[in-house]
Amino acid sequence: KAIGMWIYGDNSKNLLRLRFADATGQTFQPSGTAMAWKGWRYVEFVLDGAESGHWGGANDGVVHYPIRWDSLLLIDGMRIEKGPLEMAVTAPMLIW
């Protein structure tokens, strides 16, 4: 159903996403949330394909199980400022 994880955010507004592929080779990239907080927060990503971009394989937007992980976490850079950022991820949990 979903994967949840604790993320230490840096208030950078960068988008958090992940990527997985289904049995047909179709890749899904669920829409994430902007890292608009500083400190720890629990974040969940739904794995049913409903809120995901998708391409390749069957390319029908339907998740054909089993799935395999491509990227457990992606960070899409949205911020304009320069300089170092700090973030951390811990305790990924599958929810079914």
Side-chain angles (χ1 to χ4, degrees):
K1 302 256 181 203
I3 185 166
M5 59 190 83
W6 283 94
I7 297 177
Y8 184 90
D10 58 10
N11 203 33
S12 64
K13 313 298 187 279
N14 287 330
L15 293 175
L16 300 173
R17 305 177 191 270
L18 58 80
R19 193 176 290 159
F20 64 93
D22 72 6
T24 73
Q26 183 174 202
T27 299
F28 290 85
Q29 185 170 297
S31 299
T33 185
M35 216 177 346
W37 71 89
K38 179 100 174 138
W40 288 101
R41 180 173 289 178
Y42 179 76
V43 176
E44 277 188 15
F45 297 91
V46 177
L47 302 175
D48 64 3
E51 299 176 15
S52 299
H54 61 87
W55 59 90
N59 200 22
D60 59 5
V62 176
V63 179
H64 304 273
Y65 294 96
I67 64 170
R68 67 175 173 74
W69 295 110
D70 180 290
S71 300
L72 185 59
L73 185 65
L74 295 171
I75 302 167
D76 277 346
M78 304 304 286
R79 73 182 198 129
I80 298 170
E81 312 89 38
K82 303 271 188 236
L85 298 174
E86 178 184 358
M87 70 161 301
V89 178
T90 189
M93 298 168 273
L94 286 174
I95 301 148
W96 70 92

Coordinates of all heavy atoms in Angstrom, one line a residue:
K1 N 0.8 -1.2 0.0 CA 0.0 0.0 0.0 C 0.8 1.3 0.0 O 0.6 2.2 -0.7 CB -0.9 0.0 1.2 CG -1.8 -1.2 1.3 CD -3.2 -0.8 1.0 CE -4.1 -2.0 1.1 NZ -5.2 -2.0 0.4
A2 N 1.9 1.3 0.9 CA 2.7 2.5 1.0 C 4.0 2.2 1.6 O 4.2 1.1 2.2 CB 2.0 3.5 1.9
I3 N 4.9 3.1 1.6 CA 6.2 3.1 2.4 C 6.3 4.4 3.1 O 6.0 5.4 2.6 CB 7.4 2.8 1.5 CG1 8.7 2.7 2.4 CG2 7.6 3.9 0.5 CD1 9.8 2.1 1.6
G4 N 6.6 4.3 4.4 CA 6.8 5.4 5.2 C 8.2 5.5 5.8 O 8.9 4.5 5.9
M5 N 8.7 6.7 6.0 CA 10.0 6.9 6.6 C 10.1 8.2 7.4 O 9.4 9.1 7.1 CB 11.1 6.8 5.5 CG 11.0 7.8 4.4 SD 12.0 7.5 3.0 CE 11.1 6.3 2.1
W6 N 11.0 8.2 8.3 CA 11.3 9.4 9.0 C 12.4 10.2 8.3 O 13.4 9.6 7.9 CB 11.7 9.1 10.4 CG 10.6 8.8 11.3 CD1 10.2 7.5 11.6 CD2 9.7 9.6 12.0 NE1 9.1 7.5 12.4 CE2 8.8 8.8 12.7 CE3 9.7 11.0 12.2 CZ2 7.8 9.4 13.5 CZ3 8.7 11.6 13.0 CH2 7.8 10.7 13.6
I7 N 12.1 11.5 8.0 CA 13.0 12.3 7.3 C 13.3 13.6 8.1 O 12.4 14.2 8.6 CB 12.4 12.7 5.9 CG1 12.2 11.4 5.1 CG2 13.3 13.7 5.1 CD1 11.6 11.6 3.7
Y8 N 14.6 13.9 8.2 CA 15.0 15.1 8.8 C 15.1 16.1 7.7 O 16.0 16.1 6.8 CB 16.4 14.9 9.5 CG 16.8 16.2 10.2 CD1 16.5 16.3 11.6 CD2 17.6 17.2 9.6 CE1 16.9 17.5 12.3 CE2 17.9 18.3 10.3 CZ 17.6 18.5 11.6 OH 18.0 19.6 12.3
G9 N 14.2 17.1 7.7 CA 14.1 18.1 6.7 C 15.0 19.3 7.0 O 15.3 19.6 8.1
D10 N 15.3 20.0 5.9 CA 16.2 21.2 6.0 C 15.5 22.5 5.6 O 16.1 23.5 5.4 CB 17.5 21.0 5.2 CG 17.2 20.7 3.7 OD1 16.0 20.9 3.3 OD2 18.1 20.3 3.0
N11 N 14.2 22.4 5.3 CA 13.4 23.5 4.9 C 13.8 24.1 3.6 O 13.6 25.3 3.3 CB 13.4 24.6 6.0 CG 12.2 25.5 5.9 OD1 11.1 25.1 5.5 ND2 12.3 26.8 6.2
S12 N 14.4 23.2 2.7 CA 14.9 23.7 1.4 C 13.8 23.8 0.3 O 14.0 24.3 -0.7 CB 15.9 22.7 0.9 OG 15.3 21.4 0.7
K13 N 12.6 23.2 0.6 CA 11.5 23.1 -0.4 C 11.8 22.1 -1.5 O 11.0 22.0 -2.4 CB 11.1 24.5 -1.0 CG 11.0 25.6 0.0 CD 9.9 25.4 1.0 CE 9.7 26.6 1.9 NZ 10.6 26.8 3.0
N14 N 12.9 21.4 -1.4 CA 13.1 20.3 -2.4 C 12.0 19.3 -2.3 O 11.5 19.0 -1.2 CB 14.5 19.6 -2.1 CG 15.6 20.5 -2.5 OD1 15.6 21.3 -3.4 ND2 16.8 20.3 -1.8
L15 N 11.7 18.7 -3.4 CA 10.6 17.7 -3.5 C 11.2 16.3 -3.2 O 12.2 15.9 -3.8 CB 9.9 17.7 -4.9 CG 9.2 18.9 -5.2 CD1 8.6 18.9 -6.6 CD2 8.0 19.1 -4.2
L16 N 10.5 15.5 -2.4 CA 10.8 14.2 -2.0 C 10.0 13.2 -2.9 O 8.8 13.4 -2.9 CB 10.6 13.9 -0.5 CG 11.4 14.8 0.4 CD1 10.9 14.5 1.8 CD2 12.8 14.6 0.3
R17 N 10.6 12.3 -3.5 CA 10.0 11.3 -4.3 C 10.7 10.0 -4.2 O 11.7 9.9 -3.5 CB 10.0 11.7 -5.8 CG 9.4 13.1 -6.1 CD 9.6 13.4 -7.6 NE 9.4 14.8 -7.9 CZ 8.2 15.2 -8.3 NH1 7.1 14.5 -8.3 NH2 8.1 16.5 -8.6
L18 N 10.2 8.9 -4.8 CA 10.8 7.7 -4.9 C 10.5 7.1 -6.2 O 9.7 7.6 -7.0 CB 10.5 6.7 -3.7 CG 9.0 6.3 -3.5 CD1 8.6 5.2 -4.4 CD2 8.9 5.9 -2.1
R19 N 11.1 5.9 -6.6 CA 10.8 5.3 -7.9 C 10.9 3.8 -7.7 O 11.7 3.2 -7.1 CB 11.9 5.8 -8.9 CG 11.6 5.4 -10.3 CD 12.6 6.0 -11.2 NE 12.5 7.4 -11.3 CZ 13.5 8.2 -11.7 NH1 14.7 7.7 -12.0 NH2 13.4 9.6 -11.7
F20 N 9.9 3.1 -8.3 CA 9.9 1.7 -8.4 C 9.4 1.2 -9.7 O 8.8 1.9 -10.5 CB 9.0 1.1 -7.2 CG 7.6 1.4 -7.3 CD1 6.7 0.6 -7.9 CD2 7.1 2.6 -6.7 CE1 5.3 0.9 -7.9 CE2 5.7 2.9 -6.7 CZ 4.8 2.0 -7.4
A21 N 9.6 -0.1 -10.0 CA 9.2 -0.7 -11.3 C 8.3 -1.9 -11.0 O 8.5 -2.6 -10.0 CB 10.4 -1.1 -12.2
D22 N 7.4 -2.1 -11.9 CA 6.5 -3.3 -11.7 C 7.0 -4.5 -12.5 O 8.0 -4.4 -13.2 CB 5.0 -3.0 -11.9 CG 4.7 -2.7 -13.4 OD1 5.5 -2.9 -14.3 OD2 3.5 -2.3 -13.7
A23 N 6.2 -5.6 -12.5 CA 6.6 -6.8 -13.2 C 6.7 -6.6 -14.7 O 7.4 -7.4 -15.4 CB 5.6 -7.9 -12.9
T24 N 6.0 -5.6 -15.3 CA 6.1 -5.4 -16.8 C 7.2 -4.5 -17.2 O 7.4 -4.2 -18.3 CB 4.8 -4.8 -17.3 OG1 4.7 -3.4 -16.9 CG2 3.6 -5.6 -16.9
G25 N 8.0 -4.0 -16.2 CA 9.0 -3.0 -16.4 C 8.5 -1.6 -16.4 O 9.3 -0.6 -16.7
Q26 N 7.3 -1.3 -16.1 CA 6.7 0.0 -16.0 C 7.3 0.7 -14.8 O 7.3 0.1 -13.7 CB 5.2 -0.1 -15.9 CG 4.5 1.2 -15.9 CD 3.0 1.0 -15.9 OE1 2.2 1.9 -16.3 NE2 2.5 -0.2 -15.6
T27 N 7.8 1.9 -14.9 CA 8.4 2.6 -13.8 C 7.4 3.6 -13.3 O 6.7 4.3 -14.1 CB 9.6 3.4 -14.3 OG1 10.6 2.4 -14.8 CG2 10.2 4.2 -13.2
F28 N 7.3 3.7 -12.0 CA 6.4 4.6 -11.3 C 7.2 5.6 -10.4 O 8.2 5.2 -9.8 CB 5.4 3.9 -10.4 CG 4.4 3.1 -11.1 CD1 4.7 1.8 -11.6 CD2 3.1 3.6 -11.4 CE1 3.7 1.0 -12.3 CE2 2.2 2.9 -12.1 CZ 2.5 1.6 -12.5
Q29 N 6.8 6.8 -10.4 CA 7.4 7.8 -9.5 C 6.3 8.6 -8.8 O 5.8 9.5 -9.3 CB 8.3 8.8 -10.4 CG 9.1 9.7 -9.5 CD 10.1 10.5 -10.3 OE1 11.0 9.9 -10.9 NE2 9.9 11.8 -10.4
P30 N 6.0 8.1 -7.6 CA 4.9 8.8 -6.8 C 5.3 10.3 -6.6 O 6.4 10.6 -6.3 CB 4.9 8.0 -5.5 CG 5.4 6.7 -5.8 CD 6.5 6.9 -6.9
S31 N 4.3 11.1 -6.6 CA 4.4 12.5 -6.3 C 4.8 12.6 -4.8 O 4.2 11.8 -4.0 CB 3.1 13.3 -6.5 OG 2.8 13.2 -7.8
G32 N 5.7 13.5 -4.5 CA 6.1 13.6 -3.1 C 5.7 14.9 -2.5 O 4.8 15.6 -3.0
T33 N 6.3 15.2 -1.4 CA 6.0 16.4 -0.7 C 7.2 17.3 -0.7 O 8.3 16.8 -0.7 CB 5.5 16.1 0.8 OG1 5.1 17.2 1.4 CG2 6.6 15.4 1.6
A34 N 7.0 18.6 -0.6 CA 8.1 19.5 -0.5 C 8.7 19.5 1.0 O 7.9 19.4 1.9 CB 7.7 20.9 -0.8
M35 N 10.0 19.5 1.1 CA 10.6 19.5 2.4 C 10.6 20.9 3.0 O 11.5 21.6 3.0 CB 12.1 19.0 2.2 CG 12.6 18.2 3.4 SD 14.2 17.5 3.2 CE 14.7 17.8 1.6
A36 N 9.4 21.3 3.4 CA 9.1 22.6 3.9 C 9.1 22.6 5.5 O 8.2 23.2 6.1 CB 7.8 23.1 3.4
W37 N 10.0 21.9 6.1 CA 10.1 21.8 7.5 C 11.6 21.6 7.9 O 12.4 21.2 7.1 CB 9.3 20.7 8.1 CG 9.8 19.3 7.8 CD1 10.7 18.6 8.5 CD2 9.5 18.5 6.7 NE1 10.9 17.4 7.9 CE2 10.2 17.3 6.8 CE3 8.6 18.7 5.5 CZ2 10.1 16.3 5.8 CZ3 8.6 17.7 4.6 CH2 9.3 16.5 4.7
K38 N 11.9 22.0 9.1 CA 13.2 21.7 9.7 C 13.0 20.8 10.9 O 12.2 21.0 11.7 CB 13.8 23.0 10.2 CG 15.2 22.9 10.8 CD 16.3 23.3 9.8 CE 17.6 23.3 10.5 NZ 18.6 22.7 9.7
G39 N 13.8 19.7 10.9 CA 13.7 18.7 11.9 C 13.1 17.4 11.4 O 13.0 17.2 10.1
W40 N 12.7 16.5 12.2 CA 12.2 15.2 11.9 C 10.7 15.2 11.6 O 9.9 15.9 12.3 CB 12.4 14.1 13.0 CG 13.9 13.8 13.1 CD1 14.8 14.2 14.0 CD2 14.6 12.9 12.2 NE1 16.0 13.7 13.8 CE2 15.9 12.8 12.7 CE3 14.2 12.1 11.1 CZ2 16.9 12.1 12.1 CZ3 15.2 11.3 10.5 CH2 16.5 11.3 11.0
R41 N 10.3 14.5 10.5 CA 8.9 14.3 10.2 C 8.7 13.0 9.5 O 9.5 12.5 8.7 CB 8.4 15.4 9.2 CG 6.9 15.3 8.8 CD 6.4 16.4 8.0 NE 6.4 17.6 8.9 CZ 6.0 18.8 8.5 NH1 5.6 19.0 7.2 NH2 5.9 19.8 9.3
Y42 N 7.5 12.3 9.8 CA 7.2 11.1 9.2 C 6.5 11.3 7.8 O 5.6 12.1 7.8 CB 6.3 10.2 10.1 CG 5.8 8.9 9.5 CD1 6.7 7.9 9.5 CD2 4.6 8.8 9.0 CE1 6.3 6.6 8.9 CE2 4.2 7.6 8.4 CZ 5.1 6.5 8.4 OH 4.7 5.3 7.9
V43 N 7.0 10.7 6.8 CA 6.4 10.9 5.4 C 6.1 9.6 4.8 O 6.8 8.6 4.9 CB 7.5 11.6 4.5 CG1 7.0 11.8 3.1 CG2 7.9 13.0 5.1
E44 N 4.9 9.5 4.2 CA 4.5 8.3 3.5 C 4.3 8.5 2.0 O 3.9 9.6 1.5 CB 3.1 7.8 4.0 CG 3.2 7.0 5.3 CD 1.9 6.4 5.6 OE1 0.9 6.3 4.8 OE2 1.8 6.0 6.8
F45 N 4.6 7.5 1.2 CA 4.5 7.5 -0.2 C 3.5 6.3 -0.6 O 3.8 5.2 -0.2 CB 5.8 7.3 -1.0 CG 6.8 8.4 -0.7 CD1 7.7 8.3 0.3 CD2 6.8 9.5 -1.6 CE1 8.6 9.3 0.5 CE2 7.8 10.5 -1.4 CZ 8.7 10.4 -0.3
V46 N 2.4 6.6 -1.3 CA 1.5 5.5 -1.7 C 2.1 4.8 -2.9 O 2.7 5.4 -3.8 CB 0.1 6.2 -2.1 CG1 -0.8 5.2 -2.5 CG2 -0.4 6.9 -0.9
L47 N 1.9 3.5 -2.9 CA 2.5 2.6 -3.9 C 1.5 2.0 -4.8 O 1.7 1.0 -5.5 CB 3.3 1.5 -3.3 CG 4.5 2.0 -2.3 CD1 5.1 0.8 -1.7 CD2 5.5 2.8 -3.1
D48 N 0.3 2.6 -5.0 CA -0.8 2.0 -5.8 C -0.8 2.6 -7.2 O -1.6 2.2 -8.1 CB -2.1 2.2 -5.2 CG -2.6 3.6 -5.0 OD1 -1.8 4.6 -5.5 OD2 -3.6 3.9 -4.4
G49 N 0.1 3.5 -7.5 CA 0.2 4.1 -8.9 C -0.7 5.3 -9.1 O -0.6 6.0 -10.1
A50 N -1.7 5.6 -8.2 CA -2.7 6.6 -8.4 C -2.1 8.0 -8.4 O -2.5 8.8 -9.2 CB -3.8 6.5 -7.3
E51 N -1.1 8.3 -7.6 CA -0.5 9.6 -7.5 C 0.9 9.6 -8.1 O 1.8 10.2 -7.6 CB -0.5 10.1 -6.1 CG -1.9 10.3 -5.5 CD -1.9 10.7 -4.1 OE1 -0.9 11.1 -3.6 OE2 -3.0 10.5 -3.4
S52 N 1.1 8.9 -9.2 CA 2.4 8.7 -9.7 C 2.5 9.0 -11.2 O 1.6 8.8 -12.0 CB 2.8 7.2 -9.6 OG 2.8 6.8 -8.3
G53 N 3.6 9.5 -11.6 CA 4.0 9.5 -13.0 C 4.4 8.1 -13.4 O 4.8 7.3 -12.5
H54 N 4.3 7.7 -14.6 CA 4.7 6.3 -15.0 C 5.1 6.3 -16.5 O 4.7 7.2 -17.2 CB 3.5 5.3 -14.8 CG 2.3 5.6 -15.6 ND1 2.1 5.2 -16.9 CD2 1.2 6.4 -15.3 CE1 0.9 5.6 -17.3 NE2 0.4 6.4 -16.4
W55 N 6.0 5.4 -16.8 CA 6.5 5.3 -18.2 C 7.1 3.9 -18.3 O 7.3 3.2 -17.4 CB 7.5 6.3 -18.5 CG 8.7 6.3 -17.6 CD1 9.9 5.6 -17.8 CD2 8.9 7.0 -16.4 NE1 10.7 5.8 -16.7 CE2 10.2 6.7 -15.9 CE3 8.1 7.9 -15.6 CZ2 10.7 7.2 -14.7 CZ3 8.6 8.4 -14.4 CH2 9.9 8.1 -14.0
G56 N 7.2 3.4 -19.6 CA 7.8 2.2 -19.9 C 6.9 1.0 -19.6 O 5.7 1.2 -19.2
G57 N 7.3 -0.2 -19.9 CA 6.6 -1.4 -19.6 C 5.2 -1.4 -20.2 O 5.0 -0.9 -21.3
A58 N 4.2 -1.8 -19.5 CA 2.8 -1.8 -19.9 C 2.3 -0.3 -20.1 O 1.4 -0.1 -20.9 CB 1.9 -2.5 -18.9
N59 N 2.9 0.6 -19.4 CA 2.5 2.1 -19.5 C 1.0 2.3 -19.4 O 0.5 3.1 -20.2 CB 3.1 2.7 -20.8 CG 3.2 4.2 -20.7 OD1 3.2 4.7 -19.7 ND2 3.3 4.8 -21.9
D60 N 0.4 1.6 -18.5 CA -1.1 1.7 -18.3 C -1.5 2.4 -17.0 O -2.6 2.5 -16.7 CB -1.8 0.4 -18.5 CG -1.3 -0.7 -17.5 OD1 -0.5 -0.4 -16.6 OD2 -1.8 -1.8 -17.7
G61 N -0.5 2.7 -16.2 CA -0.7 3.3 -14.9 C -1.2 2.4 -13.8 O -1.5 2.8 -12.7
V62 N -1.3 1.1 -14.1 CA -1.7 0.1 -13.2 C -0.4 -0.7 -12.7 O 0.4 -1.1 -13.5 CB -2.7 -1.0 -13.9 CG1 -3.0 -2.1 -12.9 CG2 -3.9 -0.3 -14.4
V63 N -0.3 -0.8 -11.4 CA 0.9 -1.5 -10.8 C 0.6 -3.0 -10.9 O -0.3 -3.5 -10.4 CB 1.1 -1.1 -9.4 CG1 2.3 -1.9 -8.8 CG2 1.3 0.4 -9.2
H64 N 1.5 -3.7 -11.7 CA 1.5 -5.1 -11.8 C 2.5 -5.7 -10.9 O 3.7 -5.6 -11.2 CB 1.8 -5.5 -13.3 CG 0.8 -4.9 -14.3 ND1 -0.4 -5.4 -14.6 CD2 0.9 -3.7 -14.9 CE1 -1.0 -4.6 -15.5 NE2 -0.2 -3.5 -15.7
Y65 N 2.1 -6.3 -9.8 CA 3.0 -6.9 -8.8 C 3.6 -8.2 -9.3 O 3.1 -8.8 -10.1 CB 2.2 -7.1 -7.5 CG 1.7 -5.8 -6.9 CD1 0.5 -5.3 -7.2 CD2 2.6 -5.0 -6.2 CE1 0.0 -4.1 -6.6 CE2 2.2 -3.8 -5.7 CZ 0.9 -3.4 -5.9 OH 0.5 -2.2 -5.4
P66 N 4.8 -8.5 -8.8 CA 5.6 -7.8 -7.7 C 6.3 -6.5 -8.3 O 6.5 -6.4 -9.5 CB 6.6 -8.8 -7.3 CG 6.8 -9.7 -8.5 CD 5.5 -9.7 -9.2
I67 N 6.7 -5.7 -7.3 CA 7.5 -4.5 -7.7 C 8.9 -4.7 -7.2 O 9.2 -5.5 -6.4 CB 6.9 -3.2 -7.1 CG1 6.9 -3.2 -5.5 CG2 5.4 -3.0 -7.6 CD1 6.6 -1.9 -4.9
R68 N 9.8 -3.8 -7.8 CA 11.2 -3.8 -7.3 C 11.6 -2.3 -7.2 O 11.1 -1.4 -7.9 CB 12.1 -4.5 -8.3 CG 12.3 -3.8 -9.6 CD 13.3 -4.5 -10.5 NE 13.3 -4.0 -11.8 CZ 13.7 -2.8 -12.2 NH1 14.3 -2.0 -11.3 NH2 13.7 -2.4 -13.4
W69 N 12.4 -2.0 -6.2 CA 12.8 -0.7 -5.9 C 13.8 -0.2 -6.9 O 14.8 -0.9 -7.3 CB 13.4 -0.5 -4.5 CG 12.5 -0.8 -3.5 CD1 12.4 -1.9 -2.6 CD2 11.3 0.0 -3.1 NE1 11.4 -1.8 -1.8 CE2 10.7 -0.6 -2.1 CE3 10.8 1.2 -3.6 CZ2 9.5 -0.1 -1.5 CZ3 9.7 1.7 -3.0 CH2 9.1 1.1 -2.0
D70 N 13.6 1.0 -7.5 CA 14.6 1.6 -8.3 C 15.4 2.6 -7.4 O 16.6 2.6 -7.4 CB 14.0 2.4 -9.5 CG 14.9 3.1 -10.3 OD1 15.5 4.1 -9.9 OD2 15.1 2.6 -11.5
S71 N 14.7 3.5 -6.7 CA 15.3 4.5 -5.8 C 14.4 4.6 -4.6 O 13.2 4.9 -4.7 CB 15.4 5.8 -6.4 OG 16.2 5.7 -7.6
L72 N 14.9 4.3 -3.4 CA 14.1 4.4 -2.2 C 13.7 5.9 -1.9 O 12.7 6.1 -1.3 CB 14.9 3.8 -1.0 CG 14.2 3.7 0.3 CD1 12.9 2.9 0.2 CD2 15.1 3.2 1.4
L73 N 14.6 6.8 -2.3 CA 14.3 8.2 -2.1 C 15.0 9.0 -3.1 O 16.2 8.8 -3.4 CB 14.7 8.7 -0.7 CG 14.3 10.1 -0.3 CD1 12.8 10.3 -0.2 CD2 15.0 10.5 1.0
L74 N 14.3 9.9 -3.8 CA 14.8 10.9 -4.7 C 14.6 12.3 -4.2 O 13.5 12.6 -3.6 CB 14.1 10.8 -6.1 CG 14.2 9.5 -6.9 CD1 13.3 9.6 -8.1 CD2 15.6 9.4 -7.4
I75 N 15.5 13.2 -4.4 CA 15.3 14.6 -4.0 C 15.4 15.4 -5.3 O 16.5 15.5 -5.9 CB 16.4 15.0 -3.0 CG1 16.4 14.1 -1.8 CG2 16.2 16.5 -2.6 CD1 17.5 14.2 -0.9
D76 N 14.3 16.0 -5.7 CA 14.2 16.9 -6.8 C 14.6 18.3 -6.3 O 13.8 18.9 -5.5 CB 12.9 16.9 -7.5 CG 12.7 15.8 -8.4 OD1 13.7 15.2 -8.8 OD2 11.5 15.5 -8.8
G77 N 15.7 18.9 -6.7 CA 16.1 20.2 -6.3 C 15.2 21.3 -6.8 O 15.1 21.5 -8.0
M78 N 14.6 22.0 -5.9 CA 13.7 23.1 -6.2 C 14.2 24.4 -5.7 O 13.6 25.5 -6.0 CB 12.3 22.8 -5.7 CG 11.7 21.5 -6.2 SD 11.6 21.3 -7.9 CE 10.3 22.4 -8.3
R79 N 15.1 24.4 -4.8 CA 15.6 25.6 -4.2 C 16.5 26.5 -5.1 O 17.2 25.9 -6.0 CB 16.2 25.4 -2.8 CG 17.6 24.8 -3.0 CD 18.2 24.5 -1.6 NE 19.6 24.3 -1.8 CZ 20.5 24.9 -1.1 NH1 20.2 25.7 -0.1 NH2 21.8 24.7 -1.3
I80 N 16.5 27.7 -4.8 CA 17.4 28.6 -5.6 C 18.7 29.0 -4.9 O 19.7 29.2 -5.5 CB 16.6 29.9 -5.9 CG1 15.3 29.6 -6.7 CG2 17.4 31.0 -6.6 CD1 14.3 30.7 -6.9
E81 N 18.6 29.0 -3.6 CA 19.8 29.4 -2.8 C 21.0 28.4 -3.0 O 20.7 27.2 -3.3 CB 19.6 29.4 -1.3 CG 18.3 30.1 -0.9 CD 17.1 29.2 -0.8 OE1 17.2 28.1 -0.5 OE2 16.1 29.7 -1.2
K82 N 22.2 28.9 -2.9 CA 23.4 28.0 -2.9 C 23.8 27.7 -1.5 O 23.4 28.3 -0.6 CB 24.5 28.8 -3.7 CG 24.1 29.2 -5.0 CD 24.4 28.2 -6.1 CE 24.2 28.8 -7.4 NZ 23.3 28.1 -8.3
G83 N 24.6 26.6 -1.4 CA 25.2 26.3 -0.1 C 24.8 24.9 0.3 O 23.9 24.3 -0.3
P84 N 25.4 24.4 1.3 CA 25.2 23.0 1.8 C 23.8 22.9 2.5 O 23.2 23.8 3.0 CB 26.3 22.8 2.8 CG 26.6 24.1 3.3 CD 26.4 25.1 2.1
L85 N 23.3 21.7 2.4 CA 22.0 21.3 3.0 C 22.2 20.1 3.9 O 23.2 19.4 3.7 CB 20.9 21.0 1.9 CG 20.6 22.1 1.0 CD1 19.6 21.6 -0.1 CD2 19.9 23.2 1.7
E86 N 21.3 19.9 4.8 CA 21.5 18.7 5.7 C 20.1 18.0 5.7 O 19.1 18.7 6.0 CB 21.9 19.2 7.1 CG 21.9 18.0 8.1 CD 22.2 18.5 9.5 OE1 22.4 19.7 9.7 OE2 22.3 17.6 10.4
M87 N 20.1 16.8 5.5 CA 18.9 15.9 5.7 C 19.3 14.5 6.0 O 20.5 14.2 5.8 CB 18.1 15.9 4.4 CG 18.6 15.2 3.3 SD 17.4 14.7 2.0 CE 16.3 13.8 2.9
A88 N 18.4 13.8 6.6 CA 18.7 12.4 7.0 C 17.4 11.6 6.8 O 16.3 12.2 6.8 CB 19.1 12.3 8.4
V89 N 17.6 10.3 6.6 CA 16.4 9.4 6.5 C 16.7 8.2 7.4 O 17.8 7.7 7.4 CB 16.3 8.9 5.0 CG1 15.2 7.9 4.8 CG2 16.2 10.1 4.1
T90 N 15.6 7.7 8.0 CA 15.8 6.6 8.9 C 14.5 5.8 8.9 O 13.4 6.3 8.6 CB 16.2 7.0 10.3 OG1 16.5 5.8 11.0 CG2 15.1 7.7 11.0
A91 N 14.6 4.5 9.3 CA 13.5 3.6 9.6 C 12.4 3.5 8.4 O 11.3 3.7 8.7 CB 12.8 4.0 10.9
P92 N 12.8 3.1 7.2 CA 11.8 2.9 6.2 C 10.9 1.7 6.6 O 11.4 0.7 7.1 CB 12.6 2.6 4.9 CG 14.0 2.4 5.3 CD 14.2 2.9 6.7
M93 N 9.6 1.9 6.4 CA 8.6 0.9 6.8 C 7.6 0.6 5.7 O 7.0 1.6 5.2 CB 7.8 1.3 8.1 CG 8.7 1.6 9.3 SD 7.8 2.4 10.6 CE 8.1 4.1 10.1
L94 N 7.4 -0.6 5.3 CA 6.4 -1.0 4.3 C 5.1 -1.1 5.0 O 5.0 -1.7 6.1 CB 6.8 -2.3 3.6 CG 7.9 -2.2 2.6 CD1 8.2 -3.6 2.1 CD2 7.5 -1.3 1.5
I95 N 4.0 -0.6 4.4 CA 2.7 -0.6 5.0 C 1.8 -1.4 4.0 O 1.7 -1.0 2.8 CB 2.2 0.8 5.2 CG1 3.1 1.5 6.2 CG2 0.7 0.8 5.7 CD1 3.2 3.0 5.9
W96 N 1.2 -2.5 4.4 CA 0.3 -3.2 3.6 C -1.0 -3.6 4.3 O -1.2 -3.5 5.4 CB 1.0 -4.4 3.0 CG 1.3 -5.5 3.9 CD1 0.5 -6.6 4.2 CD2 2.4 -5.7 4.7 NE1 1.1 -7.4 5.1 CE2 2.3 -6.8 5.5 CE3 3.6 -4.9 4.9 CZ2 3.2 -7.3 6.4 CZ3 4.5 -5.4 5.8 CH2 4.3 -6.5 6.5

